[in-house]
Amino acid sequence: MKKKLVIITGMSGAGKNTALNIFESQGYFCTDNLPGLVVEDFLRIIEEKELDKTAISIDIRSKHLFVDLKEVLKKIQQNEYFDTKIIFLDCDDQVIVNRYKETRKNHPLSLEFGLLEGIKQERKDMEDIKGLANYIYNTTALSVKDLQSKILGDFGIEKKDSYHITVSSFGYKYGVPIDADNIVDVRFLKNPFYINELREKTGQDADVFNYVFDDEVTKEFYEKYKELIFFMIDKYQYEGRDKVAIAVGCTGGKHRSVSVARKLHEDIAKLGYRVYLEHRDIDKGR
């Protein structure tokens, strides 16, 4: 079976990095701004490695390194080891100008031309490359979400295959997780820590879990919280997110937060989402 190879090129400022990040989120091995001179050597290495999906971006600088980029790409398209698709990203001149002004980055041809003249020269130089593309995306009026939808659709990638959710428990005494999108504090729930026979156990144990969820306050809270989380994870996916991290915290991260995270993980999984469960602090202080 041929290895998948995606080559992303086009106008600077049109979204090549964004497109590359989309493929990276789908498990592609990605390389940014690969010089045209070393593309073929790079692909020979890929042929020998266990990398089934690769995406590389190439920009105008490759045409200024004494290499015929068009011929390099045509040769790659004929390579029997790769199923090669070329994406060309385009954008209106004024929008590219605005993007460079916003980011304060220099255009690749800024040493030779002013910004607008550099864009016009790049468009002229890249015209023959555009003719080789399998997909041409004009990002003038596209949001990141729109570009992602187009790429996933054209490459037959189901969004549900990439979208995943992580539910984790933690203890506030060890700090709040910095990578969480949504954090809930359950320190108001009845605490098994104050029950001698439960103190050394965790929310992984049935008697601790039952102690937490047998309480009416927990039951009422959880139903309201679950409804909110179900609503949010659906909207996160609709907005183009690839992953969402939900964190549940209690004092030590061993009893209440573990129990609630377990239950939430179980209920989200029933909806058909790809969901992972982590207990950050469950073994600390034991």
Side-chain angles (χ1 to χ4, degrees), residues 8-280:
I8 302 169
T9 187
M11 296 296 294
S12 300
K16 292 192 296 295
N17 286 340
T18 299
L20 193 67
N21 289 337
I22 292 170
F23 282 99
E24 186 173 34
S25 71
Q26 305 304 315
Y28 280 69
F29 177 79
C30 295
T31 301
D32 189 16
N33 288 335
L34 191 66
L37 279 171
V38 302
V39 168
E40 293 185 82
D41 291 333
F42 174 77
L43 294 182
R44 277 193 285 271
I45 296 173
I46 295 298
E47 288 177 20
E48 301 171 0
K49 303 298 181 181
E50 294 182 1
L51 297 172
D52 296 326
K53 301 186 296 183
T54 303
I56 62 177
S57 72
I58 302 174
D59 67 15
I60 185 63
R61 283 168 285 195
S62 290
K63 289 182 70 71
H64 290 251
L65 290 175
F66 309 105
V67 60
D68 188 333
L69 186 56
K70 180 179 180 180
E71 291 304 314
V72 170
L73 296 182
K74 287 173 66 176
K75 189 173 181 180
I76 294 172
Q77 286 180 316
Q78 297 168 1
N79 189 312
E80 62 180 355
Y81 292 102
F82 294 100
D83 175 15
T84 303
K85 296 291 186 294
I86 298 176
I87 292 176
F88 189 96
L89 292 166
D90 204 349
C91 191
D92 289 355
D93 290 357
Q94 186 57 57
V95 175
I96 294 178
V97 169
N98 294 341
R99 289 175 181 175
Y100 271 101
K101 287 183 177 180
E102 289 172 3
T103 61
R104 298 184 180 180
K105 292 182 178 179
N106 291 324
H107 188 274
L109 301 183
S110 60
L111 294 179
E112 304 172 58
F113 306 95
L115 178 53
L116 187 56
E117 288 303 311
I119 293 170
K120 292 182 182 298
Q121 184 62 44
E122 180 181 27
R123 191 175 298 283
K124 179 181 177 182
D125 290 346
M126 296 295 284
E127 191 62 33
D128 55 347
I129 305 302
K130 187 175 182 179
L132 296 177
N134 301 95
Y135 303 100
I136 299 174
Y137 301 124
N138 190 309
T139 64
T140 300
L142 287 185
S143 65
V144 173
K145 174 187 171 185
D146 293 333
L147 179 60
Q148 183 181 56
S149 295
K150 283 182 175 293
I151 289 176
L152 296 185
D154 286 341
F155 283 79
I157 302 171
E158 291 288 340
K159 180 63 183 172
K160 64 182 180 181
D161 294 337
S162 63
Y163 182 62
H164 65 275
I165 301 158
T166 300
V167 178
S168 64
S169 66
F170 72 95
Y172 275 93
K173 66 189 293 184
Y174 303 110
V176 175
I178 62 174
D179 60 342
D181 298 297
N182 181 283
I183 296 177
V184 65
D185 182 350
V186 297
R187 287 177 290 184
F188 63 90
L189 300 181
K190 191 166 64 171
N191 194 351
F193 178 83
Y194 296 108
I195 306 300
N196 289 334
E197 56 268 30
L198 300 180
R199 181 173 301 168
E200 298 305 318
K201 296 183 179 183
T202 74
Q204 297 277 51
D205 297 298
D207 44 358
V208 172
F209 180 89
N210 292 336
Y211 178 88
V212 172
F213 272 91
D214 282 346
D215 186 66
E216 291 302 318
V217 172
T218 302
K219 292 177 182 178
E220 182 180 359
F221 154 74
Y222 182 75
E223 288 305 312
K224 293 178 179 179
Y225 178 58
K226 180 178 71 172
E227 182 179 0
L228 174 63
I229 290 298
F230 283 6
F231 175 82
M232 292 177 66
I233 60 178
D234 178 66
K235 299 308 177 186
Y236 277 134
Q237 183 176 19
Y238 177 78
E239 286 301 315
R241 296 285 294 274
D242 286 309
K243 56 183 179 295
V244 175
I246 300 168
V248 182
C250 64
T251 304
K254 296 178 177 60
H255 300 108
R256 294 165 292 180
S257 63
V258 172
S259 300
V260 174
R262 276 184 58 194
K263 179 64 172 169
L264 187 61
H265 170 266
E266 178 184 324
D267 288 340
I268 292 175
K270 291 177 182 177
L271 298 178
Y273 290 105
R274 186 150 54 101
V275 57
Y276 303 99
L277 178 63
E278 299 174 353
H279 300 301
R280 192 191 71 178

